[in-house]
Amino acid sequence: AQSVSQHNHHVILSEAASLELGCNYSYGGTVNLFWYVQYPGQHLQLLLKYFSGDPLVKGIKGFEAEFIKSKFSFNLRKPSVQWSDTAEYFCAVNNPNTDKLIFGTGTRLQVFP
Amino acid sequence: DTEVTQTPKHLVMGMTNKKSLKCEQHMGHRAMYWYKQKAKKPPELMFVYSYEKLSINESVPSRFSPECPNSSLLNLHLHALQPEDSALYLCASSQRQGRTEAFFGQGTRLTVV
C-alpha cells in the first residue's frame, strides 16, 4: 500500500529565508509525485509534479522539488520565501495504474514580514 | 477551462435529512474523486470513479453514496449523517492513468446538526 509522510508539521520563517519541506513516500512501484498548496480559504492548487526524467522539477511561484529515488523522497524547496507563501503544503503520491492519489499530513507554513 | 465546480458551497443538514453534493468538470477528464477534509488535516480519499465506474471505495460508510451520471458529473448523496461527518468535501478530476495531475474544486463545507 502507498503512504506519504511529511515530517515538518509547522514551519515558521521570516521573509527571505530559505525553505525546505520534507516528503517521503512508501510504495515499491512507479509513482507520480506532487506538491499541492492550500492558501487560507482557497482550493488545493498544484505547485509542481514529477512523472519521470530530470529529478529536479520546477513549479510555480519559484518552488522546486527534487526526487531522490534511493531515499523515496520528494522534498520541496524555495530559496527565498515571501509573506504570501503562508499556506498549508501537501505532498501527494499517485499510483498511475490505479488513480489512487494519497496525501501526506501536510505542513503549515507561516511567513512573517 | 481547468475548473472543477462544486455546489453548494455551504450546506447545513440535520441527521435525518437527505442531501446531495454536486461536482462538475468539462475538461474531458475520465477519473473523478471525492475527498473529505477535516480542519487542519489532509484530504482523505473516499471514492474514485474511472470511466464512470466506481473503481475505489476507501471503506466509506454507506450513509455516503456516490453516483456518476455521466463523464462530467459526480454526485455524493448523503443520508443519516452524524455530526462527526461535518467537514469540507472536495471533488477532483484527472485524466485517467499515466502522467496526470488532479484538479480540485473549492469544496462544499458541510455541517451536520
Side-chain angles (χ1 to χ4, degrees), chain A residues 6-113:
Chain A
Q6 293 179 240
H7 313 299
N8 318 98
H9 298 294
H10 189 189
V11 173
I12 302 173
L13 294 172
S14 299
E15 274 193 321
S18 64
L19 171 72
E20 180 159 2
L21 302 182
C23 171
N24 287 90
Y25 68 94
S26 171
Y27 183 69
T30 301
V31 292
N32 297 326
L33 297 160
F34 309 89
W35 275 97
Y36 282 86
V37 61
Q38 194 171 32
Y39 297 104
Q42 294 192 28
H43 66 286
L44 279 162
Q45 299 172 39
L46 182 70
L47 267 182
L48 44 77
K49 59 194 177 190
Y50 174 80
F51 297 139
S52 65
D54 188 345
L56 185 62
V57 294
K58 293 192 185 303
I60 61 172
K61 305 188 181 189
F63 285 91
E64 64 178 33
E66 185 177 12
F67 170 54
I68 304 179
K69 189 175 182 179
S70 60
K71 294 184 178 180
F72 296 89
S73 70
F74 189 56
N75 293 353
L76 181 72
R77 298 196 291 251
K78 185 171 184 178
S80 176
V81 295
Q82 299 173 310
W83 174 79
S84 57
D85 293 324
T86 294
E88 190 87 22
Y89 291 81
F90 295 99
C91 181
V93 172
N94 160 265
N95 178 337
N97 296 316
T98 67
D99 301 319
K100 190 168 182 175
L101 179 65
I102 300 297
F103 286 82
T105 49
T107 298
R108 183 179 171 213
L109 173 65
Q110 280 184 293
V111 180
F112 289 95

Side-chain angles (χ1 to χ4, degrees), chain B residues 1 11 22 32 34-35 40 43 46 48 55 59 67 72 90 99 101-103 109:
Chain B
D1 181 9
L11 178 64
K22 181 180 172 182
M32 295 186 76
W34 281 116
Y35 284 85
K40 299 188 190 304
M46 299 174 72
V48 181
S55 60
S59 303
E67 179 197 20
S72 300
L90 296 168
R99 304 177 180 190
E101 65 264 32
F103 293 84
R109 176 75 61 189

Side-chain angles (χ1 to χ4, degrees), chain B residues 3-99:
Chain B
E3 263 196 20
V4 175
T5 304
Q6 290 187 245
T7 54
K9 287 188 171 38
H10 300 275
L11 178 64
V12 179
M13 61 184 290
M15 290 188 283
T16 58
N17 291 159
K18 284 185 183 181
K19 296 286 185 183
S20 296
L21 310 185
K22 181 180 172 182
C23 173
E24 196 166 1
Q25 57 88 12
H26 297 286
M27 295 177 278
H29 288 172
R30 306 316 299 266
M32 295 186 76
Y33 309 75
W34 281 116
Y35 284 85
K36 173 183 178 179
Q37 187 178 24
K38 301 281 269 185
K40 299 188 190 304
K41 297 289 186 184
E44 294 176 30
L45 183 63
M46 299 174 72
F47 303 103
V48 181
Y49 272 82
S50 293
Y51 292 95
E52 301 161 46
K53 287 186 169 28
L54 184 64
S55 60
I56 296 175
N57 177 343
E58 291 287 279
S59 303
V60 179
S62 59
R63 58 185 184 269
F64 295 92
S65 174
E67 179 197 20
C68 190
N70 60 56
S71 59
S72 300
L73 281 175
L74 185 66
N75 298 322
L76 186 63
H77 303 297
L78 314 172
H79 173 56
L81 295 193
Q82 303 297 310
E84 59 264 28
D85 296 321
S86 299
L88 182 67
Y89 288 84
L90 296 168
C91 175
S93 71
S94 70
Q95 288 287 353
R96 191 182 184 276
Q97 294 190 338
R99 304 177 180 190

